[in-house]
Amino acid sequence: MTPRSALLSPAPLGIGAVHPGTPAAGTDAVTRSTSATALAAALLAAADAWAPLVRHRPHSRWTQLLPAEDAAALVDPSLAADLAAAQVWLLSWLPGQGTPLHDHGGSAGAFAVVGGILTEDVVGGRPGAVRAAATELWAGRVRPFGPHHVHRVTNRGTRPAVSVHVYTPGLSTMNRYELEDGELRHLSTERAGVDW
């Protein structure tokens, strides 16, 4: 079995090759950016280490911010800078629990389903013909999304579900929407540290 650190490390390029992200001659620093999708996949692989933190609440979803340094210690300390530029949330979903339609205020990211099944309704289409399309996401699935992604996530199953979410940059606002007669209508904007 391949060690987890080997899965996260770049493959050798051969003698004399320059690894992508290696600074050009005369530059001072290496710029490395691990995608939110790769970070979510790494956290999915390390789920046994953070699973004891997970709780379930009968009246609403449970959420917990996982500090970047804790996340890096769980997956690979070399990812510390990339995780510091992101935000990691752990979530649990009892049957019937979900989100309203929302975006992530301009943040991109990815989420991984660790256990159970979640249904994602993604909203898109031209004005007047906007609609939602549902996809079931089973344990082990990693779902990337861009900065303009509008969706709703729900546990429509019969068992609890757990997921890990990575946002880049970290969330500062979230917009809520409703879909009515083919139109996506903005309802409200929530601010980090104020509304949640």
Side-chain angles (χ1 to χ4, degrees):
M1 183 167 172
T2 305
R4 185 180 315 129
S5 60
L7 295 174
L8 298 174
S9 299
L13 296 175
I15 297 174
V18 176
H19 187 276
T22 302
T27 60
D28 295 326
V30 172
T31 302
R32 175 181 167 180
S33 182
T34 305
S35 72
T37 304
L39 294 172
L43 287 157
L44 170 64
D48 287 347
W50 55 262
L53 299 173
V54 175
R55 302 289 178 262
H56 297 280
R57 294 193 308 210
H59 302 294
S60 65
R61 289 176 300 120
W62 171 86
T63 64
Q64 180 171 319
L65 186 63
L66 184 64
E69 57 276 3
D70 294 351
L74 293 172
V75 293
D76 183 341
S78 72
L79 295 174
D82 294 330
L83 284 160
Q87 193 178 61
V88 176
W89 287 88
L90 308 177
L91 285 80
S92 72
W93 316 71
L94 291 176
Q97 292 179 344
T99 69
L101 280 175
H102 67 282
D103 67 17
H104 304 101
S107 293
F111 69 95
V113 180
V114 178
I117 303 169
L118 293 172
T119 300
E120 181 188 32
D121 296 302
V122 177
V123 175
R126 56 185 166 71
V130 177
R131 62 184 185 88
T135 303
E136 279 193 344
L137 304 171
W138 297 68
R141 178 83 186 266
V142 179
R143 175 69 165 102
F145 52 85
H148 304 291
H149 189 71
V150 176
H151 70 163
R152 170 179 44 233
V153 180
T154 309
N155 181 352
R156 295 183 184 151
T158 58
R159 297 178 45 216
V162 174
S163 58
V164 58
H165 301 240
V166 178
Y167 302 97
T168 57
L171 295 176
S172 59
T173 62
M174 290 178 65
N175 296 295
R176 291 181 185 253
Y177 300 91
E178 75 175 0
L179 183 58
E180 187 176 303
D181 298 326
E183 297 288 343
L184 189 63
R185 210 173 59 163
H186 181 261
L187 296 177
S188 65
T189 300
E190 297 179 355
R191 295 166 294 160
V194 176
D195 301 307
W196 43 272

